[in-house]
Amino acid sequence: MKSKMTWCLLKVPLRWSLALALTLLMTTATLAQFDALGDKDRCFLGQLAYCPDAPEAEVPEKSEPKSESEKKETKGIERESVSTCLSLPPRIAVSGFNMNTHCQIVSAAGIAQFEALQHVFVDALDVWGVVPGGTEVCFQSSGVLAFLDANDAPRTLYVLQTYERDGMTCGMIDNHGTVVQLNSLPPIAGASATQPTSEAIAAGDCLIKLTETVHLRTEPDGESFGLVWMNSEVPVIETIGPWHKVIFEGQTGYISRLYNTVLRGSCE
């Protein structure tokens, strides 16, 4: 009787132990099932080695070393500059420049050296780099133009001869500096009334041909009293800045230098 009771007491823990062992075995098998991914699953997760149709990795071709001439050509392209004068707003136009000429709009603070100009300041453009002779700077609104010559330190102030073209106020410069548009020109000590390009130059035996019909004026930027027709060939008496003094059909007057080609002689 006693041994039978002992067996019954031992039988319950054995059942529990057996049930626990079976549970652990099933859990381990389940975990093993989830851990062991199939080839299809591994391929889906980006493991290309398990993808049966995966393309072979492409090996980049080695580029051959460049020759010296190719290296020089590449350097030339890298060094090629683009003029910032091409990206100005419509209110300012620059012509006669090259790709090594650069432009930047400046505020009244940029001409602090000439305090008197700040009270009549309208607009200003700084031009630097390689500035060809006869570079034209035009502003949309009317006014007078001054030039702060960067060849001098401190800068020299010149009054530019202004003229109208396509509804804009224009002037010409021959070197780097700042072109300033003003409402009026106040008296300034040390200012030169002569711009660098306004010195009269004897033209000698100069003959030009007009590429456009232009006004014949009484003086540089003066009143128009006639026209000089396109394709006309006219002699030049002298050159004053952006103006030619010419004789046309018996009348002497001034025309713009912008719209002609030189047929003979020196007109500079």
Side-chain angles (χ1 to χ4, degrees), residues 10-25:
L10 291 173
K11 190 176 180 180
V12 174
L14 287 173
R15 286 179 179 176
W16 289 351
S17 298
L18 182 60
L20 180 62
L22 288 172
T23 303
L24 290 174
L25 286 173

Side-chain angles (χ1 to χ4, degrees), residues 219-239:
E219 58 185 357
D221 203 28
E223 293 183 359
S224 173
F225 65 94
L227 296 173
V228 181
W229 306 106
M230 183 174 65
N231 295 326
S232 298
E233 297 182 6
V234 294
V236 176
I237 301 174
E238 63 179 359
T239 299

Side-chain angles (χ1 to χ4, degrees), residues 166-181:
D166 298 332
M168 303 184 79
T169 303
C170 305
M172 284 188 176
I173 60 175
D174 284 345
N175 54 270
H176 60 298
T178 305
V179 183
V180 186
Q181 184 187 24

Side-chain angles (χ1 to χ4, degrees), residues 4-265:
K4 189 176 182 180
M5 290 180 64
T6 303
W7 169 248
C8 290
L9 291 173
L10 291 173
K11 190 176 180 180
V12 174
L14 287 173
R15 286 179 179 176
W16 289 351
S17 298
L18 182 60
L20 180 62
L22 288 172
T23 303
L24 290 174
L25 286 173
M26 291 178 64
T27 304
T28 303
T30 303
L31 291 174
Q33 180 181 1
F34 281 110
D35 181 65
L37 299 178
D39 291 350
K40 187 176 182 180
D41 296 324
R42 293 180 184 275
C43 177
F44 177 77
L45 292 175
Q47 300 180 20
L48 299 181
Y50 293 90
C51 300
D53 299 326
E56 296 182 1
E58 295 183 1
V59 180
E61 296 181 0
K62 293 184 178 180
S63 58
E64 297 182 359
K66 294 182 179 180
S67 63
E68 290 299 321
S69 60
E70 289 177 328
K71 289 180 181 178
K72 290 180 180 179
E73 184 177 352
T74 304
K75 287 181 180 179
I77 294 174
E78 292 175 351
R79 292 178 181 176
E80 185 178 357
S81 60
V82 176
S83 174
T84 51
C85 300
L86 293 169
S87 56
L88 293 172
R91 74 176 192 272
I92 301 177
V94 181
S95 59
F97 61 91
N98 59 39
M99 289 298 103
N100 294 313
T101 310
H102 294 283
C103 302
Q104 181 178 357
I105 297 173
V106 297
S107 64
I111 56 170
Q113 175 189 346
F114 297 92
E115 185 178 352
L117 296 184
Q118 297 183 20
H119 303 294
V120 289
F121 177 89
V122 178
D123 214 341
L125 184 73
D126 197 41
V127 185
W128 78 96
V130 179
V131 183
T135 298
E136 182 187 58
V137 180
C138 298
F139 296 88
Q140 196 169 49
S141 55
S142 59
V144 296
L145 300 183
F147 180 61
L148 309 182
D149 194 340
N151 278 345
D152 303 326
R155 294 191 177 192
T156 302
L157 171 64
Y158 294 96
V159 180
L160 290 179
Q161 284 190 344
T162 59
Y163 53 95
E164 183 179 326
R165 186 169 73 83
D166 298 332
M168 303 184 79
T169 303
C170 305
M172 284 188 176
I173 60 175
D174 284 345
N175 54 270
H176 60 298
T178 305
V179 183
V180 186
Q181 184 187 24
L182 308 166
N183 287 323
S184 60
L185 186 66
I188 301 173
S192 173
T194 305
Q195 60 174 336
T197 57
S198 66
E199 182 180 357
I201 305 171
D205 185 19
C206 174
L207 183 68
I208 61 174
K209 182 176 182 178
L210 275 293
T211 56
E212 295 285 345
T213 299
V214 297
H215 290 279
L216 184 64
R217 301 183 182 274
T218 56
E219 58 185 357
D221 203 28
E223 293 183 359
S224 173
F225 65 94
L227 296 173
V228 181
W229 306 106
M230 183 174 65
N231 295 326
S232 298
E233 297 182 6
V234 294
V236 176
I237 301 174
E238 63 179 359
T239 299
I240 304 176
W243 300 93
H244 281 319
K245 186 177 182 180
V246 300
I247 300 175
F248 179 66
E249 296 182 346
Q251 294 180 310
T252 302
Y254 294 84
I255 64 172
S256 170
R257 291 176 59 183
L258 296 177
Y259 307 104
N260 63 78
T261 56
V262 179
L263 298 178
R264 184 181 69 239

